[in-house]
Each structure stands twice: as structure tokens, then as C-alpha cells.
Amino acid sequence: MEEEREQQREEKEENEWRLYEAYNELHALAQELHTPFDAPAVLVVGHQTDGKSALVEALMGFQFNHVGGGTKTRRPITLHMKYGPHCESPSCHLLSDDDPSLSHPMSLPQIQGYIEGENARLERDSCCQFSAKEIIIKVEYKYCPNLTIIDTPGLIAPAPGRKNRALQAQARAVESLVRAKMQHKEFIILCLEDCSDWSNATTRRVVMQIDPELSRTVIVSTKLDTKIPQFARPSDVEVFLSPPASTLDGCILGDSPFFTSVPSGRVGSETGCLFTSNDDFKQAVCFREIEDVASLEEKLGRPLSKQERSRIGVSKLRLFLEEILQKRYINNVPLIIPLLEKESRSVTRKLSDINQELSTLDEAKLKEKGRTFHDMFLTKLSLLLKGTVVAPPDKFGETLQDERINGGAFVGADGVQIPHKLIPNAGMRLYGGAQYHRAMAEFRFVVGGIKCPPITREEIVNACGVEDIHDGTNYSRTACVIAVAKAHDTFEPFLHQLGSRLLHILKRLLPISFYLLQKDCEYLSGHQVFLRRVASAFDNFAESTEKSCREKCMEDLVSTTRYVSWSLHNKSRAGLRQFLDSFGGTEHSNVCNNPTATGPSQASVQEKEETKPQLDVKLSHVASGTDSSTSTQTTETKLADLLDSTLWNRRLAPSSERIVYGLVQQIFHGIREYFLVSTELKFNCFLLMPIVDKLPARLREDLESAFEDDLENVFDITNLQFSLGQQKRDIEIELKRIKRLKDKFRMIHEQLILRQAM
């Protein structure tokens, strides 16, 4: 009977060992392949100096880690601890960072040296002082529990202020790393709190953001030996050992906190080391537990209950974690098998795709694949211009603010931008044709609202100059000189800004098209050289087309600002006539009241009276309302006064200034209207349309030329064959590992069913 019970016990231990070994393999596979399944594990979370690493060592029964004040853990450390009754000393293997399927046997000092080296390397790295990549260690030891435990970097609570910005950045990085680890639903969170008042939620503040009800969280109060002396009354100890449920904000795993103490000495033969061996350390942990119980009973004035004793000490915590993980292991076995089946099918498909890819690496098939990709790419490009909702706007769309930052803003000489809220759809994340249309609408809105820049008296006088045959003044020429100079300086920057903005929008079509091809399984994965060739050809075409279009627009701007054609520039003759008529009326009253105020206004009015061709008739009409019997002497006098004030006299009268200003405004606005219409038309015709009707032929020509001259390098066939071959070997190994693991879990599942039936 005794032999039968011993045999059953050994079979049970053997089955538990197989189950734990299978979960160790599953955890390693999940870390390597980033697969959605994870083995149950204990994730240790706490602030710096809460005693995380020391507690992990106490749970294991030996010291190995880099402990002390400050940040000592900069990479998570995963420990696959396995009970090995025949291992008198810890047998440790470090999994390779490059290939987790490989492991290297190491001694405890070597592992400690490796961890310290990694911490020092990350501390020196100014860009990335913490890494989420785990250091994975397998340990087999006769005092080890069957646990997978993950020690995380300590959370940091930095002081506020600008001088602490570096530490604040580190705190954000650590918290982000720890939060990502806590997202794994299979992990049991070991939340360490170094406090004597449970209302102070230091680590729980972070943990409860991921596990609000603490349903998978075990709370541990560390450094119990330092807290017991702080309690003055037994009632304080009672509240500390059995905090009210409302204080911990949820139903914590285990129903109550655990309380632990770990001796602070280190193992080693060096000066300052307190323990000569790990056995001494393990024994000291046990003694510390006994002393804590005695101290608590002394403070309380009564013996601890069985329930209270079950929560005090490292050994009680280890037993609880082993039992709860064992239950999760068994309960999760039926769920793991379907996940492994799914992963096996996925890996098999990858292997089939690679075999298919290898079979198409001949010249004819590669050319055909390139031509097919060319057609599919152009189809997606056309779809984006015409409009589609297939690509997610949150990933590929740009608001007008984003577009201005990335593609450049429309800014005039005053440096002021139009508020983006005034532009329709400014807050929407657009791409493709919709984004192109919005940019063009903004261009029309901005340029269409530009007024003629201010004109100074010095500019008018300087523009008068000297004619080649006389030294008189020509105010119509003056107005033309000023208007074309102002217009050229005003509108030329907008031409470059529009080209830059539209080129940015068109270039964005490339990554979106590639995304759509990937989504429809039409993307040439692995052919990066070919894809770069297509991308380069598209970018070069877009850049050259934009440059050519901009040059055509520049020719138009130069022509409209070099020579004034009144039929083109004088678009609003009625407005100018109204301005001069009102001006002429004012000057007429001035002439009546002041006979010496002759001049420019009379000339301007008479130039607009096109229905009366004779100069003497115009002058008699403008003069003062006199009848046609006015003497010839009076007419000749006024003509002399007119010429004296305009042609022969360079003293700029208000009337001359106003005439010049009116003509400049008229010419400037005529140039603006022509520039706006011609620029929009040319960009549509010579930038947008070539993407539709010229790009296909240009791309095909480029590809065919590459196929004829350099097919080997275009598809990088040699490297591709090597890469695919390596991928095939890796996937075949991965498939074998998944199959072996699946068989293990299936066998374990069958044994569990048989045990339940018995």
C-alpha cells in the first residue's frame, strides 16, 4: 500500500514536471514569435527600493541578481524556475537574445555579471535606457518552486520641476514598459507595497489602471521587519494585517495581502558579504520569517491565527503562488491546444507561401510579377485620386494643420497665415484627391483675397524716371511699372508654395497605395529592391512633373508682369471709371473755387470721356460747366495748366498720386485674377493629369528597361533566394516546435481527463 502511494506520488510529480516543462516551452515560444498565447507567469511590479529583486531571490532560494539602491533592473528578467530534486546546486541556462531556441549554461556569478553588464550598457545609452526585451533564464534546483516569474524594472516617482526632466522621462519609460507587461491577461501581478498605511496606494496606482478590481493581483507588503517597530498599539497592527476591504479597492487575489521580509546581506566570499553560501541565505530567510511571527505576536499580545500565519513569510507566498499557477496551468490546457492548432495552420501557410515564392524566381515569372504589380499599383493610385474610404483616415489622413506642417503653408510677404478654421474641411483627415482639392481651394481663398501692397510717394517718383526723348512724366507708365513689380513680388512665392504643397500630397499616394496592395494581398513582399525602384520612379516623375508645371506657370507670371495689355489687365473698367468720376467731380469743384488748381484730375476725366474725341470739347466740358461759347483763350490757358501739372512739373500733386494709385490697383487686380485662373488650370493640366495619363507609360518604360538591363539586381535574386531559404528553414523549425508542443499538451490533456475519470 505504501509502495502504491509512493508510486502515485512520483507519477503526480512526473506529470506536474511535464506540465510545467510544456508551459516553459510555450512561454519561450510566445516571447520569440510574439504569438497571442502566453503561459501563466508571475509578474513582479514595484517601485525602486521596494525590494523586488530581493524577494525574487528569496522565492528562488539563491542570489543571482544586481540589487541595491537606484535603478538596478533595466530589462525584465524572466526566470523559469523548476523543481529538480537531484540538483544540489542551481543549474542555470541563459537563453540567447538572437536565437531563443538556443541556451547557454552559466554559473550564478556569470549570470549576475551578464545582468550587471546589460544594466550598465542601457544606463550609458542616452536614447534607450530601458528595454522591454526579456532576459530569459532557466533554473533547475532542488529548492526551487515550479514558477515562471518576471522581475520588471522598478517604477520611479520623480520630483517635479525642470531640473528633474531627465528622471521624469525615465519614469514615463519604465511605467510604459511595466504597463505593457501587465496587459497579458495570463500574468498574475505581484504588486509590492513598501508602506505601513494601506491608504497610500503607490504601486497599486499603476497596477489598478490595468487591473482595476485587482482580480489577478497579489499584494505583498515588503520589509515587514522594518515596519513592526513603527506600530505603537495592537490595534494598528490589526488594521495593518487585516485592512478593510474598501481600503484596497477590490477583491485582491488571495483575499488578503502577504507580508514578507528578506535579509539584506549578500552571498559571497568578498569582504562585506554576510552569507558564505546560498544555503546560509535560504536558512536566514526562514529565520527571518520565524522572527517576524514572534514580533507580531508580541505586539498583538496574542498568538496569530492560522489564517494570519498563512500570509506571513516568503515560504507562504511561494506556496500560494505555486498552487494558483498549478490550477491555472491545468485549467488552461484545453485552451492552449486550439491556439497551437491555429498557430500551426498560420505557420503552415507561411511555409507554403515561401515555397510558392521560391518556385517563381525564374526570369519570365519575375517579369510577369513585376508587370502585374505595375498594373495593380496604378489601379490603387487612380482609386485614391478618384476617392476611396478603404485606407483608414486615422493612419493616412492629414488635417490642414498637419498638411501645412509637412507640405508647407501659403504665406504672403507679411508672414501671416489664414486661420485654418476658415478653410472648408480643415479639421478632416484627408488624403488623395480630396486632399488635393482642399489644397487648391485654400490656394484660391488665400490668393483671391490678396490686396495690392501699399504704395509710397517715393515709389511713384522713382518710377517716373526719364523718357528716352523728353524729360516729362508719363503717369500711365509709372502705374504699370509699380503694378507689375508689386504683382511679381507678391505672387511668385505662392507659386512655389503651391508646387511644394501639391507635390507633398501626390507623394503621399505612394505609401497609401502600397498599404492597399498589402491589404488585398497584391504586394510583392520580399522584393524590396524592386519596390524601391518603383517608389523612386514615382517620386522622380512627380518631382519632374511638378517642376515642369511650375516653370510653365512662372512663364505666365513673367509675361503678365512684363508687359501690360489693357484688354487683359483692365478687367474692371467700370470700377475705375467710377473712381475717376468721383475724383473728377472733386477736382472740378476745386477748380471753380481755386482757378490755380489745375490739372491731373481734369486730364484723367477727359481721358475717360471716350464719347467725345476732341480735346477742346473734353476740356470745355470738364472746366466749370460753361457753355460752348467759352473763348479760345480760356481753353488754351487750361490746357497749358494741365500740361504744366502733369507733364512738365515733377512736384507730385494729390491728383496725380490718386490717379497713379487707381491705375496700379486696377492693373494689380487684373494680374491677380489672371494668375489665379491660369495657375490652377496649369497645375490641373500639367501636374494632376500626367499622373493619370503619362505615369503608366513612364513606369512601364522604366521597368522594361530595368528588366532588359539589370533583372538580377532589380529583384536581387541571389539575396532573395538566400533570404527565402533562411526563412523556410526557420519556419520549418518553428513548425516542428509547435507540433512537439501541441503533442505534449494533448498528451497532458488526455492524462488529466483520465485522472478525473478515476
Side-chain angles (χ1 to χ4, degrees):
M1 191 69 178
E2 184 66 28
E3 292 180 359
E4 185 177 346
R5 281 199 299 269
E6 180 65 22
Q7 185 178 358
Q8 289 177 353
R9 187 184 64 80
E10 290 179 357
E11 287 180 359
K12 182 181 178 182
E13 287 183 356
E14 180 68 18
N15 290 334
E16 289 178 355
W17 184 88
R18 288 177 181 173
L19 177 64
Y20 185 70
E21 183 68 21
Y23 269 108
N24 279 353
E25 287 189 36
L26 181 67
H27 182 88
L29 186 68
Q31 291 294 315
E32 180 183 352
L33 306 179
H34 305 287
T35 46
F37 47 79
D38 249 326
V42 176
L43 186 76
V44 186
V45 179
H47 278 74
Q48 281 183 357
T49 70
D50 277 354
K52 292 185 300 75
S53 299
L55 179 59
V56 171
E57 290 180 336
L59 287 169
M60 297 178 66
F62 62 88
Q63 293 183 347
F64 73 98
N65 204 352
H66 190 192
V67 298
T71 302
K72 296 300 182 185
T73 303
R74 294 182 177 270
R75 281 179 63 181
I77 302 173
T78 298
L79 297 157
H80 293 305
M81 298 184 288
K82 185 169 64 177
Y83 169 71
H86 305 297
C87 291
E88 296 295 331
S89 60
S91 174
C92 304
H93 289 76
L94 177 69
L95 270 64
S96 169
D97 280 345
D98 300 325
D99 185 1
S101 64
L102 300 177
S103 61
H104 308 289
M106 284 190 176
S107 64
L108 290 179
Q110 287 175 326
I111 286 179
Q112 185 172 354
Y114 177 80
I115 293 172
E116 291 178 359
E118 281 296 289
N119 291 337
R121 177 183 65 82
L122 289 169
E123 188 175 4
R124 291 192 301 269
D125 191 340
S126 57
C127 299
C128 181
Q129 294 198 323
F130 298 89
S131 171
K133 188 175 180 61
E134 297 176 5
I135 298 174
I136 302 178
I137 304 169
K138 288 185 175 182
V139 181
E140 189 172 356
Y141 187 35
K142 68 176 182 178
Y143 299 116
C144 258
N146 285 324
L147 288 177
T148 293
I149 194 163
I150 305 170
D151 186 13
T152 61
L155 297 167
I156 304 171
R162 293 175 59 87
K163 65 180 181 180
N164 296 310
R165 283 186 297 182
L167 197 59
Q168 291 163 7
Q170 289 187 25
R172 289 191 296 269
V174 173
E175 185 169 330
S176 176
L177 186 155
V178 172
R179 283 166 60 93
K181 291 293 180 185
M182 289 192 294
Q183 295 286 354
H184 294 267
K185 301 296 184 184
E186 292 299 319
F187 288 175
I188 295 169
I189 303 171
L190 203 63
C191 174
L192 274 55
E193 295 278 23
D194 181 13
C195 63
S196 55
D197 184 357
W198 288 111
S199 61
N200 294 325
T202 52
T203 306
R204 275 177 292 145
R205 177 191 63 81
V206 179
V207 170
M208 292 183 70
Q209 296 175 22
I210 307 299
D211 184 22
E213 298 298 323
L214 300 174
S215 58
R216 58 186 179 94
T217 299
V218 179
I219 295 178
V220 181
S221 175
T222 58
K223 305 179 182 179
L224 177 63
D225 55 336
T226 65
K227 295 180 177 61
I228 296 175
Q230 300 175 22
F231 298 115
R233 295 174 299 180
S235 58
D236 296 333
V237 184
E238 295 280 3
V239 173
F240 181 63
L241 292 180
S242 302
S246 59
T247 306
L248 294 181
D249 302 318
C251 300
I252 64 174
L253 197 60
D255 300 327
S256 173
F258 283 81
F259 304 88
T260 63
S261 298
V262 178
S264 58
R266 301 302 295 169
V267 174
S269 56
E270 299 87 357
T271 304
C273 292
L274 187 60
F275 308 113
T276 57
S277 67
N278 284 304
D279 287 338
D280 290 344
F281 168 67
K282 183 169 62 66
Q283 192 173 17
V285 172
C286 294
F287 287 155
R288 184 71 266 167
E289 185 174 322
I290 295 171
E291 291 172 1
D292 287 344
V293 171
S295 298
L296 286 170
E297 289 180 340
E298 183 181 351
K299 283 283 185 181
L300 288 169
R302 62 171 179 84
L304 293 175
S305 67
K306 184 178 179 181
Q307 173 64 21
E308 290 170 334
R309 278 178 174 268
S310 68
R311 293 293 182 267
I312 296 172
V314 173
S315 65
K316 304 300 190 298
L317 175 62
R318 179 168 61 185
L319 181 62
F320 175 79
L321 293 175
E322 274 194 284
E323 289 176 350
I324 196 169
L325 277 185
Q326 185 74 10
K327 291 177 183 177
R328 293 204 174 195
Y329 289 158
I330 294 172
N331 293 336
N332 283 355
V333 166
L335 305 177
I336 293 296
I337 296 173
L339 288 175
L340 288 170
E341 289 279 5
K342 180 181 177 182
E343 188 66 19
S344 178
R345 290 193 297 270
S346 174
V347 174
T348 302
R349 282 196 301 271
K350 290 180 184 177
L351 185 60
S352 176
D353 292 342
I354 288 179
N355 287 329
Q356 177 67 23
E357 188 79 13
L358 284 168
S359 68
T360 60
L361 291 182
D362 63 81
E363 184 175 326
K365 290 182 179 179
L366 284 174
K367 287 183 179 180
E368 186 59 33
K369 284 172 65 174
R371 295 181 182 118
T372 302
F373 179 84
H374 165 271
D375 296 338
M376 295 298 180
F377 168 67
L378 292 173
T379 300
K380 303 302 182 188
L381 206 62
S382 175
L383 183 65
L384 288 172
L385 289 174
K386 292 177 181 178
T388 181
V389 295
V390 179
D394 58 340
K395 183 176 181 180
F396 293 107
E398 282 187 336
T399 63
L400 183 60
Q401 192 69 16
D402 297 332
E403 186 180 316
R404 286 178 173 182
I405 293 171
N406 299 323
F410 295 122
V411 182
D414 55 3
V416 177
Q417 295 184 34
I418 298 294
H420 66 274
K421 294 182 179 180
L422 299 179
I423 308 300
N425 303 326
M428 294 187 179
R429 291 170 293 190
L430 305 181
Y431 55 77
Q435 188 178 8
Y436 181 95
H437 184 272
R438 183 180 64 187
M440 195 61 80
E442 185 189 5
F443 174 76
R444 288 196 302 270
F445 182 84
V446 173
V447 176
I450 291 177
K451 304 298 182 183
C452 181
I455 305 168
T456 64
R457 292 172 62 85
E458 283 101 347
E459 287 178 320
I460 296 175
V461 174
N462 278 315
C464 290
V466 176
E467 296 288 340
D468 57 354
I469 197 170
H470 68 91
D471 64 352
T473 55
N474 184 345
Y475 286 112
S476 62
R477 180 189 180 281
T478 298
C480 292
V481 169
I482 296 173
V484 296
K486 296 283 186 182
H488 187 277
D489 292 344
T490 300
F491 297 127
E492 183 180 6
F494 287 102
L495 195 56
H496 296 284
Q497 293 165 14
L498 178 63
S500 175
R501 176 78 72 85
L502 296 182
L503 181 61
H504 163 71
I505 292 170
L506 292 179
K507 280 190 171 184
R508 293 186 66 245
L509 297 176
L510 182 71
I512 306 176
S513 299
F514 281 4
Y515 166 80
L516 296 180
L517 289 168
Q518 287 176 320
K519 185 177 181 181
D520 295 340
C521 300
E522 297 167 349
Y523 191 69
L524 290 181
S525 299
H527 297 279
Q528 297 305 319
V529 177
F530 173 79
L531 294 174
R532 286 196 295 269
R533 181 71 177 250
V534 172
S536 176
F538 174 79
D539 286 345
N540 290 339
F541 179 81
E543 290 171 3
S544 62
T545 305
E546 185 274 332
K547 180 181 179 182
S548 174
C549 177
R550 186 161 32 87
E551 289 173 350
K552 288 182 172 65
C553 294
M554 185 61 72
E555 289 179 358
D556 272 1
L557 179 62
V558 169
S559 64
T560 52
T561 55
R562 183 177 182 127
Y563 187 82
V564 175
S565 298
W566 292 108
S567 60
L568 174 66
H569 293 73
N570 190 18
K571 292 293 184 183
S572 182
R573 190 171 302 177
L576 182 62
R577 180 186 298 276
Q578 184 178 2
F579 165 75
L580 292 177
D581 283 349
S582 63
F583 165 69
T586 303
E587 290 300 311
H588 172 68
S589 62
N590 290 339
V591 170
C592 292
N593 296 328
N594 184 8
T596 62
T598 60
S601 61
Q602 298 171 352
S604 64
V605 173
Q606 77 170 4
E607 288 171 2
K608 290 301 175 181
E609 291 293 338
E610 297 176 352
T611 56
K612 297 183 179 182
Q614 297 298 325
L615 180 61
D616 58 338
V617 177
K618 293 179 186 176
L619 291 174
S620 64
H621 173 74
V622 172
S624 58
T626 57
D627 57 23
S628 57
S629 62
T630 304
S631 66
T632 303
Q633 182 63 34
T634 302
T635 302
E636 290 176 352
T637 300
K638 291 190 176 297
L639 177 58
D641 291 341
L642 173 65
L643 294 176
D644 182 60
S645 63
T646 58
L647 183 61
W648 300 332
N649 191 346
R650 292 214 171 204
R651 180 178 297 169
L652 190 63
S655 56
S656 303
E657 184 178 354
R658 294 181 63 186
I659 290 175
V660 170
Y661 181 78
L663 286 174
V664 169
Q665 293 279 339
Q666 188 68 15
I667 297 168
F668 183 90
H669 292 158
I671 295 174
R672 183 191 65 190
E673 295 303 316
Y674 181 79
F675 170 77
L676 192 58
V677 173
S678 67
T679 300
E680 181 177 3
L681 183 62
K682 279 186 168 54
F683 269 96
N684 287 337
C685 292
F686 300 114
L687 177 61
L688 181 62
M689 291 309 298
I691 298 294
V692 177
D693 54 27
K694 290 185 178 179
L695 177 63
R698 182 71 63 84
L699 273 183
R700 175 57 68 95
E701 179 183 344
D702 183 79
L703 290 180
E704 293 298 334
S705 174
F707 290 164
E708 294 300 325
D709 300 337
D710 203 11
L711 182 66
E712 166 71 26
N713 289 330
V714 167
F715 284 100
D716 200 12
I717 297 175
T718 303
N719 287 336
L720 188 59
Q721 285 176 330
F722 176 80
S723 175
L724 290 174
Q726 184 63 42
Q727 289 180 41
K728 181 180 178 180
R729 289 188 291 274
D730 292 343
I731 289 178
E732 286 173 344
I733 294 172
E734 181 183 327
L735 193 58
K736 288 178 182 178
R737 289 177 65 189
I738 293 173
K739 184 179 183 303
R740 184 175 65 251
L741 201 54
K742 185 173 60 176
D743 292 341
K744 277 189 178 183
F745 274 98
R746 185 175 283 113
M747 183 181 67
I748 293 169
H749 182 53
E750 291 171 355
Q751 290 174 348
L752 291 173
I753 293 174
L754 287 174
R755 188 185 304 172
Q756 291 171 358
M758 294 174 60

